[in-house]
Amino acid sequence: MKKIHVLFHDGGGGHRNAAVALQAVIGQQQRDWQIELIQFQDLTDRLDVLRKLTGIRIQQQYNILLQNGWTLGSTYLLRMLQATIRLFHRPLVNLLERFWREKPADLLISVIPHFNRQICESWTKVYPARPFVTIITDLADFPPRFWIEPIKDQYVIAGAEKAADQARSMGHDDAHIFLTSGMILRPDFYLEDNSDPQELRKEMGLRPDLPTAIVLFGGHGSKVMYDITERLNAAGLPLQLILICGRNEELAAKLRARQWKLPNHVVGFTKEVHRLMRAADFLIGKPGPGSIAEAMVRKLPVLIECNAWTLPQERYNAEWVQEKGVGIVLKSFEDVAESVKRMLDPASLAAFRKNVEAQENSAVFEIPEILAKLLGEPGAEPRSRTPAPVATHTL
């Protein structure tokens, strides 16, 4: 049995989701591999300088910024973090080397940015013949020193042409670059779902006949969701909302406490986003790569914002949405009501839906085939791309 380590962290929800997605699909395909998920923050806590100064882990600080919308100037903060990582390069490499010696594996996967140079250097020093793979969980890199490093031993799995081109510009040859059809998502987003959207809306206490938007700002929510709800409530549009607050319990409580004219259903943390999307006509959210990719697989146009407050690594996602014609990009959610009016126009919505239908993403089923080749299993038969059925839960 081959053993694979997958490094992730909880800064945002996309990295853990990618790791869990990979573990789930490999389990469903019954490959002779043992997958171990490793929380990078737990592994490197002793070197977390920001935690020593503030008492809060790096990933927790990141999530606090997202929840409160404190993202203006985030490029500067990102570069400070990268400078700190370079300062602690040697201690970090030494720490990781000790860990790999104690926990050997046949292949190492990273689904996190910033640390891939240190991860790769430590891994190849201990196991020079064993592959190290970075699965990019953004549509594009934000160089330098973000996802892709100019080191020959790094294999890169990219979900968009832009990221693959960036890897080539860093000096990676075609043998070290693998382009998939999109972002890695949990297999349950691909489950066939013939449930009636109107019945799902009834289950949530919503009107079955009213256009419905799902409002999603990642696993930790964002206070801007309240502002969006206020603006749409005041506009008096024929609309209702499914508001997914994630782990932001304060936001969920604040939304539930107010009496709205606008019909809405507030949801906390849930693993049923794929089913909730079935009840929606389009998505309102930040330009996060995971949310956009989920919407594309569930065939929902998107309405997103991109401006100086947008995280720098997510700004290309807005370009991608415009290029593919799969939604509307705003400069500010202050204009959300006007953009929703456009989305509700039958002709506009039909055009967006047609472009969304053209997007095909099977990355989660393609990546295990790539890993099989890197593990020396080129003759392996392609495995099923049909996710195993899961239990149905009420909404």
Side-chain angles (χ1 to χ4, degrees), residues 200 203-204 270 272 275-276 391-395:
L200 293 177
E203 289 181 35
M204 290 182 272
T270 177
E272 298 291 306
R275 293 197 68 235
L276 292 163
T392 299
H393 303 284
T394 55
L395 298 173

Side-chain angles (χ1 to χ4, degrees), residues 275-341:
R275 293 197 68 235
L276 292 163
M277 284 185 169
R278 174 72 177 168
D281 296 294
F282 61 96
L283 177 141
I284 300 174
K286 73 185 186 78
S291 299
I292 293 172
E294 290 167 1
M296 295 301 100
V297 169
R298 302 307 282 178
K299 305 307 178 186
L300 298 181
V302 298
L303 197 163
I304 60 174
E305 179 189 63
C306 186
N307 54 36
W309 279 264
T310 302
L311 293 172
Q313 68 270 26
E314 295 184 348
R315 291 173 190 169
Y316 173 75
N317 303 340
E319 293 181 32
W320 185 90
V321 166
Q322 291 179 312
E323 176 188 326
K324 302 297 182 181
V326 295
I328 298 170
V329 178
L330 300 174
K331 288 188 176 180
S332 170
F333 278 123
E334 291 180 1
D335 302 319
V336 66
E338 284 301 314
S339 295
V340 167
K341 286 180 185 177

Side-chain angles (χ1 to χ4, degrees), residues 204-318:
M204 290 182 272
L206 298 174
R207 283 177 49 182
D209 59 333
L210 202 59
T212 306
I214 188 165
V215 185
L216 178 62
F217 280 74
H220 296 271
S222 171
K223 67 177 185 178
V224 74
M225 293 171 62
Y226 192 89
D227 299 332
I228 289 170
T229 307
E230 275 196 318
R231 293 182 187 281
L232 294 177
N233 186 68
L237 298 173
L239 180 73
Q240 56 194 358
L241 303 178
I242 302 169
L243 297 147
I244 303 182
C245 301
R247 292 183 171 86
N248 196 332
E249 297 176 4
E250 181 181 350
L251 172 64
K254 185 178 179 181
L255 284 164
R256 291 188 181 113
R258 180 164 166 181
Q259 295 295 316
W260 303 95
K261 293 183 295 182
L262 186 75
N264 67 86
H265 177 66
V266 179
V267 183
F269 178 75
T270 177
K271 295 183 178 179
E272 298 291 306
V273 173
H274 58 289
R275 293 197 68 235
L276 292 163
M277 284 185 169
R278 174 72 177 168
D281 296 294
F282 61 96
L283 177 141
I284 300 174
K286 73 185 186 78
S291 299
I292 293 172
E294 290 167 1
M296 295 301 100
V297 169
R298 302 307 282 178
K299 305 307 178 186
L300 298 181
V302 298
L303 197 163
I304 60 174
E305 179 189 63
C306 186
N307 54 36
W309 279 264
T310 302
L311 293 172
Q313 68 270 26
E314 295 184 348
R315 291 173 190 169
Y316 173 75
N317 303 340

Side-chain angles (χ1 to χ4, degrees), residues 40-162:
F40 188 74
Q41 182 80 65
D42 291 344
L43 175 57
T44 58
D45 256 348
R46 72 184 71 175
L47 295 177
D48 190 338
V49 179
L50 293 181
R51 187 181 189 186
K52 291 175 181 177
L53 293 174
T54 67
I56 305 175
R57 288 169 139 193
I58 290 176
Q59 63 188 28
Q60 289 173 303
Q61 293 190 16
Y62 178 79
N63 293 331
I64 289 170
L65 293 177
L66 293 184
Q67 286 180 8
N68 292 281
W70 299 335
T71 50
L72 185 64
S74 52
T75 300
Y76 175 72
L77 295 174
L78 184 151
R79 298 309 183 201
M80 283 184 60
L81 171 63
Q82 292 174 332
T84 303
I85 292 169
R86 293 199 302 277
L87 184 64
F88 282 82
H89 175 83
R90 180 47 51 194
L92 183 54
V93 169
N94 293 340
L95 175 68
L96 292 171
E97 281 181 23
R98 290 194 295 272
F99 185 80
W100 306 139
R101 289 192 178 94
E102 294 170 3
K103 294 183 74 69
D106 298 283
L107 186 147
L108 175 63
I109 298 171
S110 163
V111 294
I112 61 174
H114 304 306
F115 295 93
N116 285 294
R117 179 186 167 199
Q118 290 74 27
I119 296 167
C120 186
E121 185 175 317
S122 62
W123 176 257
T124 54
K125 186 173 181 179
V126 178
Y127 304 113
R130 301 181 189 182
F132 165 68
V133 181
T134 298
I135 301 176
I136 300 177
T137 65
D138 284 304
L139 290 176
D141 192 16
F142 184 66
R145 306 181 189 92
F146 199 83
W147 283 106
I148 306 168
E149 294 283 355
I151 44 180
K152 65 181 180 63
D153 295 312
Q154 182 187 31
Y155 288 92
V156 175
I157 297 179
E161 282 282 0
K162 171 84 170 179

